[in-house]
C-alpha cells in the first residue's frame, strides 16, 4: 500500500545547502574585498599575483589560481554583467538541479575554463586571466541544452524585449565566443593587427566554460558514479517565466485505469520508480496518478 512504504512516511525535512546564494555572496564578497584591499591598502598587485591565473603562477606552484581567478574582476562593468547572468541563469538552475550538481557545474566551468586558457597561452604566449565568465558561459550552455525548446525573453540594450529559443541562444553564445577567440584573442597572441581591439577578454576561457556546460549535460544524460543519483533522462519543469498563461480548466483529473487492482499496481510501479530513481524522474502523468492515489486508496 501507498503509506506502508518507508519513503512515504513522515520524516524530518532534509535541509540542503543553498549553493546558489552561498556562491553569489562569495563572489560579491571577493569583489568587495578585492576593491577594498586594492584601493585603500594598495594591495592590488599582491592580489593579482597570488589569485589571478597565469602561466608563470602555475609554474611557481600556485595551483589554487585554477579556481581563484574566477573570484577577481577587472572593473565594475565586468563584475556587473557576470553577476547579472549568474543571478538569472544560476538561480534557475539551482532550483531545477540537485544542490551538489549545481556546485559541480560551477567548479567544472571554472576548472575547464582555466585549463583551456592555459593550453592556448602555453602555446602562443603568457598573460593572465581573471573573471567568472567561464562559469556564466558554462551555466548558460548547460541550461540551453537541458531545456532547448524553451523560449527565453532577453532585454536587448536593457530596453527591447527579444524572444529567443534556448537552442538558438546556445549557438549565439558559442558563436560569439568562437569568433572572439579566432578574430581577437588568437591574433593578439600571434602579434597580428586587429580590426577590433578587445585586450580584456579571454575567449579561450569562455570556450572552456562552454565545454564544461556541454559535458555536464552529457553526464546528466548518461550518469557516471559522480552523477549516479541523477536519472538517465532529465525531466524537470521549466521556470514559470518561460510559460504562457492559459485559462484554468474546470474538472478533476481522472485516472484512466479499469480497476482498483490495476490502479494499485500502477501506484506500486511509480513508487518503485521513486525509490530507484527519485521524484525528479516522474512524468507529469505519473505525478497526477500519485496525487490521486492518496484519496483513491483510502476508499
Amino acid at each position: 500500500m501507498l503509506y506502508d512504504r518507508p519513503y512515504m512516511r513522515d520524516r524530518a525535512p532534509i535541509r540542503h545547502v543553498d549553493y546558489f546564494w552561498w556562491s553569489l555572496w562569495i563572489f560579491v564578497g571577493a569583489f568587495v574585498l578585492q576593491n577594498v584591499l586594492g584601493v585603500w591598502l594598495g594591495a592590488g598587485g599582491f592580489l593579482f599575483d597570488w589569485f589571478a591565473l597565469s602561466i608563470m603562477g602555475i609554474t611557481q606552484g600556485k595551483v589554487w589560481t585554477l579556481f581563484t581567478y574566477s573570484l577577481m574582476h577587472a572593473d565594475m562593468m565586468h563584475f556587473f554583467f557576470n553577476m547579472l547572468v549568474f543571478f538569472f541563469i544560476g538561480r534557475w538552475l539551482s532550483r531545477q538541479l540537485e544542490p551538489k550538481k549545481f556546485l559541480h557545474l560551477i567548479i567544472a566551468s571554472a576548472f575547464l575554463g582555466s585549463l583551456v586558457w592555459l593550453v592556448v597561452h602555453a602555446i602562443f604566449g603568457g598573460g593572465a586571466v581573471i573573471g567568472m565568465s567561464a562559469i556564466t558561459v558554462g551555466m548558460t550552455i548547460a541550461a540551453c541544452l537541458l531545456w532547448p525548446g524553451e523560449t527565453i525573453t532577453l532585454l536587448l540594450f536593457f530596453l527591447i524585449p527579444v524572444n529567443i529559443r534556448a537552442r538558438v541562444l546556445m549557438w549565439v553564445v558559442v558563436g560569439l565566443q568562437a569568433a572572439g577567440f579566432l578574430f581577437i584573442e588568437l591574433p593578439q597572441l600571434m602579434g597580428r593587427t586587429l580590426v577590433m581591439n578587445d585586450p580584456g577578454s579571454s575567449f579561450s576561457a569562455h570556450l572552456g566554460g562552454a565545454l564544461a556546460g556541454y559535458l555536464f549535460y552529457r553526464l546528466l544524460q548518461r550518469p557516471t558514479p559522480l552523477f549516479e543519483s541523477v536519472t538517465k533522462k532529465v525531466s524537470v519543469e521549466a521556470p514559470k517565466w518561460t510559460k504562457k498563461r492559459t485559462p484554468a480548466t474546470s474538472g478533476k483529473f481522472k485516472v484512466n485505469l479499469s480497476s482498483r487492482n490495476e490502479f494499485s499496481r500502477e501506484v506500486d510501479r511509480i513508487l518503485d520508480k521513486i525509490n530507484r530513481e527519485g521524484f525528479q524522474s516522474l512524468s507529469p502523468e505519473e505525478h497526477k496518478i500519485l496525487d490521486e492515489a492518496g484519496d483513491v486508496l483510502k476508499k
Side-chain angles (χ1 to χ4, degrees):
M1 295 295 290
L2 176 63
Y3 296 105
D4 292 337
R5 296 172 181 261
Y7 45 84
M8 294 301 293
R9 297 173 188 162
D10 292 336
R11 60 180 67 180
I14 300 175
R15 298 188 65 182
H16 295 288
V17 177
D18 192 335
Y19 288 109
F20 167 74
W21 287 108
W22 273 101
S23 302
L24 185 143
W25 290 119
I26 287 174
F27 287 121
V28 171
F31 181 71
V32 172
L33 188 63
Q34 173 191 347
N35 283 272
V36 170
L37 295 179
V39 173
W40 297 105
L41 298 180
F46 170 82
L47 293 174
F48 195 86
D49 289 340
W50 283 89
F51 296 103
L53 178 66
S54 65
I55 300 294
M56 181 179 295
I58 292 298
T59 58
Q60 293 173 350
K62 299 174 183 176
V63 293
W64 58 85
T65 58
L66 292 169
F67 303 96
T68 58
Y69 77 98
S70 62
L71 299 175
M72 301 182 65
H73 288 83
D75 50 42
M76 178 61 73
M77 293 303 294
H78 186 205
F79 176 74
F80 173 76
F81 283 110
N82 272 325
M83 289 307 298
L84 192 66
V85 177
F86 182 83
F87 181 81
F88 287 106
I89 300 295
R91 191 159 175 251
W92 174 19
L93 279 172
S94 69
R95 291 177 175 179
Q96 308 298 334
L97 300 173
E98 294 180 19
K100 288 185 178 180
K101 303 301 177 288
F102 178 75
L103 182 61
H104 292 160
L105 177 58
I106 293 176
I107 295 173
S109 298
F111 177 71
L112 281 182
S114 63
L115 199 61
V116 172
W117 185 91
L118 282 173
V119 170
V120 170
H121 285 254
I123 297 173
F124 294 101
V129 61
I130 56 175
M132 59 181 292
S133 297
I135 295 175
T136 55
V137 171
M139 285 184 169
T140 302
I141 298 304
C144 290
L145 285 169
L146 289 170
W147 299 278
E150 296 300 326
T151 300
I152 299 174
T153 301
L154 303 176
L155 285 179
L156 191 63
F157 306 116
F158 295 98
L159 294 174
I160 307 171
V162 177
N163 292 326
I164 185 172
R165 290 282 187 182
R167 65 170 63 90
V168 176
L169 176 62
M170 177 189 68
W171 288 115
V172 169
V173 172
V174 172
L176 288 174
Q177 303 309 320
F181 174 71
L182 291 174
F183 299 108
I184 297 178
E185 183 180 3
L186 190 57
Q188 280 181 335
L189 294 174
M190 299 175 68
R192 301 295 178 89
T193 302
L194 302 180
V195 177
M196 298 178 294
N197 189 26
D198 186 10
S201 295
S202 297
F203 295 98
S204 55
H206 303 175
L207 290 173
L211 176 62
Y214 171 76
L215 293 177
F216 180 83
Y217 164 75
R218 296 304 301 172
L219 286 172
L220 285 179
Q221 299 298 309
R222 298 177 181 176
T224 63
L226 181 64
F227 288 82
E228 60 186 359
S229 62
V230 183
T231 56
K232 291 184 178 180
K233 186 174 182 180
V234 176
S235 177
V236 291
E237 185 179 354
K240 294 180 180 179
W241 53 269
T242 65
K243 297 181 178 180
K244 295 182 179 179
R245 293 186 178 181
T246 56
T249 57
S250 59
K252 190 177 182 181
F253 172 80
K254 299 295 182 182
V255 180
N256 187 22
L257 297 174
S258 58
S259 68
R260 181 187 178 94
N261 290 335
E262 185 180 350
F263 180 70
S264 296
R265 286 195 298 271
E266 180 66 11
V267 170
D268 286 338
R269 183 192 67 78
I270 294 173
L271 293 176
D272 288 336
K273 183 177 180 181
I274 294 173
N275 192 37
R276 188 175 61 253
E277 301 178 2
F279 276 98
Q280 72 271 20
S281 66
L282 299 185
S283 66
E285 182 180 354
E286 289 170 334
H287 275 292
K288 292 178 180 179
I289 293 176
L290 201 59
D291 290 338
E292 285 288 307
D295 295 331
V296 172
L297 295 181
K298 287 179 181 179
K299 295 180 181 179

